């Protein structure tokens, strides 16, 4: 979850009355991390959390750097800064075991808590990492803050190399490229680190996106320092060479000119008389991308639909399964109290009342599944609980209350069919290649899923579409499977191994908000939606339907 998207969602949905003062980029580095054992170094990753209503929520995380006790992370955290608020941050350091990018099996190495105001006021904050209240050895974390310049354009770059020096005896070098921005005070800020291409002296690295603010602070003449390394598993990478350039030079590739640089090792240049270079680095592609904001798309006419199918609105996937208990029993999750709404209704109203503002006609049929439907009492996995579309979320609530006495809760709990139905509508929208409708599916569940394989398959397919899935876990069931679907603890894959194209699932357990305000639940559930909308349309190169008269100053991570 990105802080920028969370805060922007809050502002958009009316939870924050004061405007954002500025946007800040946070860069993170650590030193002195203790080894897990005598034979290996840790594989560190930093998780950024923000406190809201007394609880810590994950905002974003860095990449994992293998075998490093002093990592400098290339991932940049983008946050909104509010002068009048105490914005509490927590930086957690984890050792991610090889072959696993999730936190479930990771070793916790320590944490540092501070406020955003402390970081901004000092610009560079270094503090010891604490573990169970005590210092975690000599390990420390440094967070550097930089205000955004307001340039929200991104640039997409791709590099390759040719005839790099071979640093290995029994195989070829395993090269990776690092790009640094040289600041006004002479310091260097890591902009991007490519992946490692194994056993190849002429590697082609994957293309990547970076904001112009991050790359050069909006100054096209700012020096960029690029270094090429031969990766080693022990973390002691061998230096191959370096070169300097500027974005002004890089962007000339757009004019059809191929740009390449000699990769120079200064030591070899001094010692070797006939030394020319340690290889060539080639710029394969440079494209400037205009990044539009969530509001750009909304104000351009994009509707946030609570899923559309056959021209009618689909909303309210209640779980009518036996695991919820007899709705006439006060212990049931579906029990209708005369004065107190149940957890299903609380979650529905909190989220639905916000999202309905982005739906033009606000007409919703109410759907449920996993029930025996009269008069035949056959199991239905996707059944309308009201004959005609009902107006606004209050209509859905009334339809839900009216249908409960007429049905028999049963099972199994299959959620893949409803994801597939919404995905079918989203697929039709995708072919229009316009930003007209984005689909949100809200699933309210007691945690018992009987078609996990099909659900994973459906989500992977939906990740290619203009669609998001919000899951609210109701009751005290084991929500382990739902955490897997969320993808925050690793990349979700289909049973065949295909990964999601983008993270579209947000899971929140209702029990964490039982005593909080509806606004707190809605804020947590909807925080990722603006970023997911922007990510989809920007990745597809789809501009807002209507050109706005103002230039957006908001940025989103690529």
């Amino acid at each position: 979850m990105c802080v920028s998207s969370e805060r922007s969602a809050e502002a958009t949905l009316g939870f924050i009355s004061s405007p954002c003062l500025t946007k800040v980029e946070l860069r993170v580095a650590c030193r002195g991390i203790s080894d897990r054992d005598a034979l290996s170094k840790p594989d560190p990753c930093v998780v950024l959390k923000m406190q809201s209503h007394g609880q810590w929520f994950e905002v974003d995380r860095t990449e994992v750097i293998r075998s490093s006790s002093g990592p400098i992370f290339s991932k940049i955290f983008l946050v909104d800064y509010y002068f009048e608020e105490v914005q509490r941050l927590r930086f957690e350091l984890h050792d991610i075991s090889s072959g696993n990018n999730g936190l479930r099996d990771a070793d916790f190495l320590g944490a540092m808590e501070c406020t955003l105001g402390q970081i901004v006021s000092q610009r560079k904050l270094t503090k010891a990492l604490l573990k169970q209240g005590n210092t975690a050895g000599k390990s420390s974390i440094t967070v550097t803050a930089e205000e955004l310049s307001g340039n929200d354009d991104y640039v997409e770059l791709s590099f390759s190399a040719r005839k790099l020096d071979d640093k290995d005896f029994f195989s070829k070098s395993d090269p990776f490229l690092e790009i640094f921005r040289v600041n006004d005070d002479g310091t260097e800020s890591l902009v991007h680190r490519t992946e490692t291409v194994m056993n190849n002296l002429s590697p082609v690295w994957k293309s990547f996106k970076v904001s112009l603010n991050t790359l050069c602070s909006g100054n096209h003449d700012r020096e960029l320092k690029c270094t090429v390394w031969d990766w080693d598993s022990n973390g002691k990478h061998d230096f191959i060479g370096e070169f300097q350039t500027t974005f002004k030079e890089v962007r000339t590739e757009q004019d059809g000119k191929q740009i390449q640089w000699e990769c120079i090792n200064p030591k070899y240049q001094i010692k070797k008389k006939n030394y020319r270079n340690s290889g060539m680095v080639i710029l394969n592609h440079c494209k400037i991308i205009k990044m539009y904001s969530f509001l750009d798309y909304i104000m351009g006419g994009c509707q946030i639909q609570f899923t559309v199918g056959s021209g009618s609105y689909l909303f309210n996937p209640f779980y009518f399964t036996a695991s919820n208990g007899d709705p006439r029993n006060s212990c049931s999750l579906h029990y209708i109290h005369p004065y107190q709404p149940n957890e299903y209704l609380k979650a529905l109203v909190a989220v639905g009342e916000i999202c309905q503002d982005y739906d033009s006609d606000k007409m919703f049929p109410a759907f449920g599944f996993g029930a025996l439907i009269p008069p035949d009492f056959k199991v239905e996995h996707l059944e309308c609980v009201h004959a005609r579309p009902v107006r606004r979320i209050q209509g859905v609530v009334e339809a839900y209350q009216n249908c409960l006495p007429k049905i028999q809760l049963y099972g199994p709990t299959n959620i893949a069919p409803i994801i597939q139905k919404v995905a079918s509508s989203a697929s039709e929208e995708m072919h229009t290649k316009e930003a007209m409708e984005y689909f949100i599916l809200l699933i309210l569940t007691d945690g018992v899923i009987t078609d996990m394989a099909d659900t994973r398959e459906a989500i992977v397919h939906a990740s290619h579409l203009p669609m998001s899935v919000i899951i609210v876990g109701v009751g005290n069931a084991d929500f382990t499977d739902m955490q897997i679907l969320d993808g925050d603890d690793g990349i979700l894959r289909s049973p065949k191994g295909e990964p999601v194209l983008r993270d579209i699932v947000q899971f929140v357990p209702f029990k964490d908000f039982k005593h909080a305000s509806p606004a707190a639940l809605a804020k947590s559930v909807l925080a990722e939606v603006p970023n997911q909308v922007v990510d989809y349309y920007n990745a597809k190169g789809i501009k807002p339907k209507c050109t706005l008269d103002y230039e957006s100053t908001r940025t989103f991570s690529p």
Side-chain angles (χ1 to χ4, degrees):
M1 181 191 300
C2 172
V3 177
S4 177
S5 63
E6 179 181 8
R7 286 294 185 178
S8 298
E10 292 173 10
T12 301
L13 302 176
F15 293 131
I16 291 179
S17 57
S18 56
C20 167
L21 184 62
T22 187
K23 293 181 182 295
V24 176
E25 290 182 335
L26 301 179
R27 291 177 167 82
V28 182
C30 299
R31 296 188 64 182
I33 303 175
S34 301
D35 293 356
R36 285 177 298 179
D37 53 58
L39 300 177
S40 65
K41 292 182 179 180
D43 302 325
C45 169
V46 171
V47 175
L48 172 61
K49 294 184 176 182
M50 175 172 278
Q51 192 177 70
S52 177
H53 296 84
Q55 300 181 62
W56 291 105
F57 296 96
E58 179 174 343
V59 170
D60 210 343
R61 63 179 67 178
T62 67
E63 74 277 19
V64 178
I65 297 182
R66 300 297 177 189
S67 300
S68 178
S69 58
I72 299 174
F73 298 97
S74 62
K75 171 70 177 184
I76 296 172
F77 297 128
L78 180 63
V79 300
D80 284 0
Y81 169 60
Y82 295 83
F83 172 77
E84 70 284 359
E85 291 187 24
V86 177
Q87 297 172 261
R88 301 191 182 279
L89 306 179
R90 177 178 170 88
F91 297 84
E92 293 183 357
L93 182 66
H94 296 267
D95 181 7
I96 308 295
S97 57
S98 181
N100 173 36
N101 287 326
L103 298 181
R104 190 165 300 159
D105 300 320
D107 294 327
F108 175 67
L109 300 180
M112 183 271 281
E113 294 182 13
C114 64
T115 66
L116 183 56
Q118 289 175 312
I119 302 174
V120 170
S121 62
Q122 299 183 41
R123 300 203 62 175
K124 179 182 288 188
L125 177 66
T126 300
K127 294 182 70 174
L129 287 166
L130 301 181
K131 192 173 183 180
Q132 297 179 341
N134 300 315
T135 56
K138 297 181 180 180
S139 58
S140 65
I141 184 169
T142 298
V143 184
T144 305
E146 181 179 6
E147 182 180 359
L148 279 177
S149 67
N151 189 328
D152 64 349
D153 287 342
Y154 274 74
V155 59
E156 184 177 67
L157 301 169
S158 65
F159 292 88
S160 63
R162 184 174 66 247
K163 296 182 180 180
L164 294 175
D165 283 353
D166 193 352
K167 297 291 184 179
D168 295 334
F169 290 108
F170 303 106
S171 63
K172 298 177 181 178
S173 294
D174 308 316
F176 67 91
L177 171 69
E178 289 184 329
I179 301 175
F180 293 86
R181 183 190 71 211
V182 180
N183 302 313
D184 292 335
D185 60 0
T187 59
E188 299 174 357
S189 298
L190 179 62
V191 169
H192 181 76
R193 180 186 293 116
T194 70
E195 78 282 5
T196 300
V197 178
M198 305 300 288
N199 196 33
N200 196 326
L201 300 182
S202 296
V204 178
W205 292 291
K206 295 179 181 177
S207 63
F208 62 93
K209 295 176 184 176
V210 62
S211 72
L212 284 181
N213 184 82
T214 297
L215 181 65
C216 60
S217 301
N219 179 1
H220 293 193
D221 292 315
R222 184 176 297 278
E223 181 181 343
L224 303 175
K225 179 181 177 181
C226 305
T227 57
V228 181
W229 299 83
D230 171 27
W231 179 85
D232 281 333
S233 58
N234 62 6
K236 297 180 179 179
H237 312 307
D238 297 318
F239 177 71
I240 294 179
E242 64 185 20
F243 62 92
Q244 286 75 37
T245 186
T246 63
F247 180 64
K248 184 177 182 179
E249 180 182 19
V250 167
R251 69 176 299 172
T252 59
E253 192 274 341
Q254 293 186 115
D255 301 327
K257 301 177 182 177
Q258 186 184 56
I259 304 173
Q260 59 183 17
W261 300 270
E262 289 186 301
C263 191
I264 302 297
N265 187 323
K267 292 184 178 179
Y268 290 174
Q269 204 172 32
I270 296 174
K271 294 180 180 179
K272 298 182 178 180
K273 292 183 179 180
N274 298 324
Y275 176 79
R276 294 185 59 187
N277 57 60
S278 295
M280 302 295 294
V281 175
I282 302 102
L283 176 65
N284 297 325
H285 173 70
C286 173
K287 179 182 178 182
I288 297 179
I289 304 170
K290 169 65 180 176
M291 299 298 288
Y292 295 97
S293 74
F294 177 65
L295 284 182
D296 286 337
Y297 287 104
I298 294 300
M299 297 179 75
C302 182
Q303 294 284 304
I304 301 298
Q305 304 286 12
F306 263 124
T307 65
V308 178
S310 301
S312 61
Y313 294 87
L314 172 68
F315 179 73
N316 187 29
F318 287 105
Y319 271 82
F320 293 141
T321 55
S323 59
N324 285 281
D326 189 334
R328 293 166 295 185
N329 189 317
S330 61
C331 296
S332 168
L333 294 174
H334 279 300
Y335 177 67
I336 304 298
H337 192 282
Y339 307 111
Q340 180 68 32
N342 61 34
E343 292 186 7
Y344 280 94
L345 291 178
K346 287 180 181 178
L348 168 64
V349 173
V351 178
E353 283 191 339
I354 291 172
C355 291
Q356 70 181 358
D357 288 344
Y358 300 92
D359 190 326
S360 58
D361 70 359
K362 299 173 176 55
M363 297 296 292
F364 308 104
F367 277 74
F369 44 90
L372 298 178
I373 306 297
D376 299 330
F377 286 94
K378 294 181 179 180
V379 177
E380 296 289 349
H381 297 302
L382 189 60
E383 180 64 34
C384 187
V385 300
H386 196 271
R388 292 179 306 227
V390 291
R391 182 160 180 78
R392 305 188 71 90
I393 296 304
Q394 185 56 38
V396 180
V397 171
E398 293 171 1
Y400 164 69
Q401 292 172 327
N402 291 335
C403 84
L404 273 178
K406 304 173 185 177
I407 65 172
Q408 179 179 340
L409 301 184
Y410 199 68
T413 302
N414 294 338
I415 69 173
I418 196 168
I419 296 175
Q420 293 164 349
K421 184 174 181 65
V422 177
S424 177
S425 300
S427 180
E428 294 178 9
E429 166 67 13
M430 181 182 68
H431 295 309
T432 67
K433 297 182 180 180
E434 292 184 345
M436 291 304 296
E437 293 178 334
Y438 189 91
F439 300 79
I440 295 178
L441 170 62
L442 171 65
I443 295 178
L444 307 173
T445 172
D446 68 345
V448 182
I449 292 182
T450 52
D451 64 341
M452 178 54 68
D454 289 342
T455 297
R456 287 164 49 201
E457 184 77 39
I459 290 174
V460 169
H461 170 69
S463 70
H464 294 259
L465 306 173
M467 175 178 170
S468 294
V469 179
I470 296 172
I471 303 174
V472 179
V474 178
N476 297 312
D478 181 4
F479 291 116
T480 302
D481 287 346
M482 291 303 183
Q483 299 284 5
I484 294 174
L485 296 179
D486 193 299
D488 284 344
D489 204 26
I491 298 175
L492 176 70
R493 296 179 181 272
S494 71
K496 299 177 183 178
E498 180 186 356
V500 289
L501 181 65
R502 58 194 185 92
D503 181 14
I504 64 168
V505 178
Q506 170 74 345
F507 170 75
V508 174
F510 184 86
K511 61 185 177 182
D512 291 350
F513 296 87
K514 226 171 186 179
H515 305 293
S517 67
L521 172 65
K523 168 185 167 183
S524 181
V525 168
L526 297 172
E528 294 186 6
V529 169
N531 209 36
Q532 290 172 349
V533 172
V534 169
D535 282 349
Y536 174 79
Y537 288 121
N538 278 322
K540 294 289 185 180
I542 299 175
K543 299 179 181 180
K545 180 71 173 176
C546 301
T547 303
L548 303 181
D549 295 330
Y550 63 89
E551 286 293 323
S552 169
T553 59
R554 294 176 56 206
T555 60
F556 287 83
S557 300

